Amino acid sequence: MGFDIHEGCLSERLCLSFAALAHTAGAADGPPSAHDLHAAECVAALDANTHDLAQQVKSGNEGSRAVLQERLVSGTAFVGDTYLHGNSDEQQARALANQAAEAQKRLPAAELALRQTACAAEGAKLYAASNGLQQAVVKRLAKKRMEKLLGG
């Protein structure tokens, strides 16, 4: 069974909006850039256990809330950064999401954990380097995703 962008991405609306806006903005057709490939890997890694983290929070483990929030903000920052680079169209974004999610299933747990840590740090840097409006959009989307995950 393949990765479903509607279930596996940080949020369906975010992924589809990103893809549609990138396509509308005149993103070039052709092979994905190394930047797009890396971003897809990081988004998939950061999203890998968001449901597990949300369940931990629901079960009373408040320590998991900060990790979940960090993953959601960092993943959303990657999506926004890729959009701003304008290198993906909708079909390409879906394909990259599928490929990254499938490839990561073959990673040993320790390697996935290292990728998640590195991607979270990189996503935090992307977020910090963005302007106030971009940060507000990222925070809002991450907050909405967290509320959805936590059932709020």
Side-chain angles (χ1 to χ4, degrees):
M1 177 156 95
F3 176 76
D4 182 353
I5 193 168
H6 299 287
E7 293 178 16
C9 199
L10 287 173
S11 83
E12 175 182 358
R13 181 179 300 151
L14 177 62
C15 289
L16 293 178
S17 295
F18 157 68
L21 288 171
H23 182 70
T24 303
D29 291 334
S33 68
H35 180 269
D36 289 343
L37 294 170
H38 175 69
E41 287 177 349
C42 280
V43 168
L46 292 167
D47 195 48
N49 64 345
T50 56
H51 291 283
D52 292 338
L53 288 167
Q55 191 57 45
Q56 291 173 23
V57 173
K58 288 179 186 179
S59 297
N61 182 353
E62 283 299 314
S64 295
R65 184 180 295 272
V67 176
L68 177 59
Q69 181 68 30
E70 174 187 282
R71 297 255 172 101
L72 295 173
V73 168
S74 292
T76 305
F78 272 103
V79 173
D81 184 65
T82 301
Y83 162 71
L84 291 175
H85 279 83
N87 295 329
S88 296
D89 64 24
E90 183 176 355
Q91 289 179 344
Q92 190 177 66
R94 286 176 187 258
L96 291 177
N98 288 335
Q99 292 166 7
E102 286 300 317
Q104 112 182 341
K105 289 178 184 176
R106 295 185 294 275
L107 291 178
E111 190 174 335
L112 177 58
L114 287 173
R115 181 178 290 179
Q116 288 170 324
T117 299
C119 288
E122 186 179 349
K125 287 179 185 176
L126 290 171
Y127 175 78
S130 61
N131 67 39
L133 177 60
Q134 293 164 338
Q135 287 182 358
V137 170
V138 166
K139 278 278 199 179
R140 183 173 188 277
L141 290 170
K143 181 181 176 188
K144 287 183 71 110
R145 176 65 173 153
M146 181 176 265
E147 289 170 355
K148 183 177 179 184
L149 286 167
L150 297 177

